[in-house]
Amino acid sequence: RGSSLLLPPLAVGDLMLVHRWRRELEAAARSPELQAVAAATAAAVLLPLLLYGCRRCARRRVASGAPLTWGTMPLPAFDYQVAGHMGLSNEGGSLVVPEPGRIAKPVGLGYFAGEDRFYQKLQHTPALASFCPAFYGHRSIKGRRFVVLEDLTHGLTNPCIVDIKLGTTTVAPEAAWSKRITHLAKDRETTTRSLGIRLIGAMHTGCGRDGQPRLKLGKPWGKAVQPSGLSAALRKVFSNEGRLCKRAIRHFISRLDALQHVLTTQPRWQLVSSSLLFVFEPETEPPARRTQASPVTPAGIPSPVTPAG
């Protein structure tokens, strides 16, 4: 998934409004009269939001109850989804497999719409498209629009997947104020705001001793990672049984260098709340013990782009 390395923060006017609210709340804490006004205002604002959230959760539970079908056959779920939304909701939903080597991703609605248009426009920027899964058009499944993309794990024996979200903010400037406030708070509580990077999820497939994936980490784990622990967290997800996958890392570094060149020389893109998806096979022995003359490129990932000029 193509992503921008630097994303714009909230507007200065928004931050000034946050500071003004803070001053008003501090004044309310000292004044009984203002306390009553603040309580009434909070009730008037929060009650509709809570009701909206309850209705939204109910819709999500109903929507995720039945499997999606294509024709008369149910579509299998994608086993290697490490992040994103589950079920089917306005934000998007679970990935399904319409055919081997491809996945279908539901397009968001309302504020979350536009991913399908992004992939269509991306075809006119081949330099950036080379860092994204191949786009195979759209499908309508049970009345919902899906984008069909390349499955980067197809053909791998025990794929390792790492999802890293980039940017210092995860909300678009045109989002509703209530959504911007919640995302601003979340971004400040995680490594998003301080480092411009946050681990979203990771999975090392292949069964462990308990029959489960050898490693499976989700959003709660990524949100709990603090700036001081990010290096250790990255080492954890890019290691196999405690051994750092150095060949894959060297390849990814060359790809990131090429991506940085594209983002600094191509027409400007503003990609909000986007991720980099790393897919690779685990290394089961030190590189020095391998007998192959040349390193193996991690499967599912295009070869490095040679920057022009």
Side-chain angles (χ1 to χ4, degrees):
R1 283 173 289 184
S3 299
S4 173
L5 296 179
L6 293 175
L7 297 176
L10 291 177
V12 175
D14 296 337
L15 297 179
M16 293 176 63
L17 183 56
V18 172
H19 289 304
R20 191 187 73 185
W21 279 14
R22 179 180 178 182
R23 290 196 301 270
E24 292 177 353
L25 290 175
E26 290 174 348
R30 296 190 296 268
S31 170
E33 293 80 5
L34 288 179
Q35 282 182 352
V37 174
T41 302
V45 172
L46 293 179
L47 183 58
L49 291 176
L50 290 174
L51 292 175
Y52 169 75
C54 292
R55 291 195 299 268
R56 183 170 165 185
C57 290
R59 289 197 303 269
R60 186 175 297 175
R61 286 195 296 270
V62 172
S64 60
L68 295 172
T69 59
W70 175 246
T72 59
M73 298 295 293
L75 293 177
F78 183 61
D79 293 332
Y80 302 146
Q81 183 172 352
V82 300
H85 301 279
M86 300 301 173
L88 195 61
S89 65
N90 288 344
E91 290 94 333
S94 302
L95 306 179
V96 294
V97 183
E99 57 189 270
R102 299 184 181 186
I103 59 174
K105 181 180 181 182
V107 176
L109 304 175
Y111 164 78
F112 304 98
E115 189 169 8
D116 51 344
R117 295 192 300 271
F118 164 77
Y119 280 108
Q120 289 174 329
K121 292 182 179 180
L122 189 64
Q123 307 311 305
H124 303 293
T125 311
L128 185 58
S130 66
F131 294 92
C132 301
F135 174 58
Y136 298 109
H138 310 91
R139 282 192 180 182
S140 179
I141 305 176
K142 296 188 71 172
R144 185 68 177 265
R145 188 177 178 86
F146 282 67
V147 290
V148 182
L149 304 172
E150 174 189 8
D151 175 9
L152 296 178
T153 68
H154 184 66
L156 301 187
T157 304
N158 292 311
C160 298
I161 307 103
V162 180
D163 193 316
I164 300 179
K165 183 163 290 191
L166 298 181
T168 56
T169 183
T170 58
V171 64
E174 67 272 14
W177 175 244
S178 58
K179 184 175 181 64
R180 296 168 76 178
I181 285 293
T182 57
H183 275 255
L184 175 63
K186 179 178 66 176
D187 294 343
R188 290 188 179 279
E189 292 171 356
T190 64
T191 54
T192 289
R193 191 66 173 175
S194 57
L195 301 179
I197 179 176
R198 186 169 89 234
L199 284 161
I200 298 298
M203 179 188 295
H204 292 182
T205 61
C207 292
R209 295 179 180 178
D210 57 355
Q212 299 298 317
R214 292 179 293 111
L215 177 72
K216 189 172 184 179
L217 303 169
K219 286 183 178 181
W221 174 80
K223 290 180 179 179
V225 174
Q226 297 300 308
S228 59
L230 182 60
S231 294
L234 289 172
R235 175 174 286 274
K236 180 182 182 71
V237 298
F238 283 105
S239 295
N240 176 46
E241 298 179 348
R243 182 181 295 116
L244 198 63
C245 297
K246 295 182 179 180
R247 294 185 305 113
I249 290 176
R250 284 195 292 267
H251 176 80
F252 291 140
I253 289 175
S254 69
R255 294 291 288 157
L256 290 172
D257 287 340
L259 176 60
Q260 184 179 26
H261 175 81
V262 170
L263 292 174
T264 54
T265 57
Q266 295 290 319
R268 180 174 175 83
W269 286 75
Q270 185 183 42
L271 305 177
V272 180
S273 193
S274 296
S275 299
L276 290 177
L277 188 69
F278 299 85
V279 181
F280 57 101
E281 287 271 27
E283 297 175 17
T284 57
E285 57 180 290
R289 297 181 184 177
R290 294 188 179 272
T291 58
Q292 294 179 353
S294 59
V296 178
T297 299
I301 303 171
S303 58
V305 175
T306 301

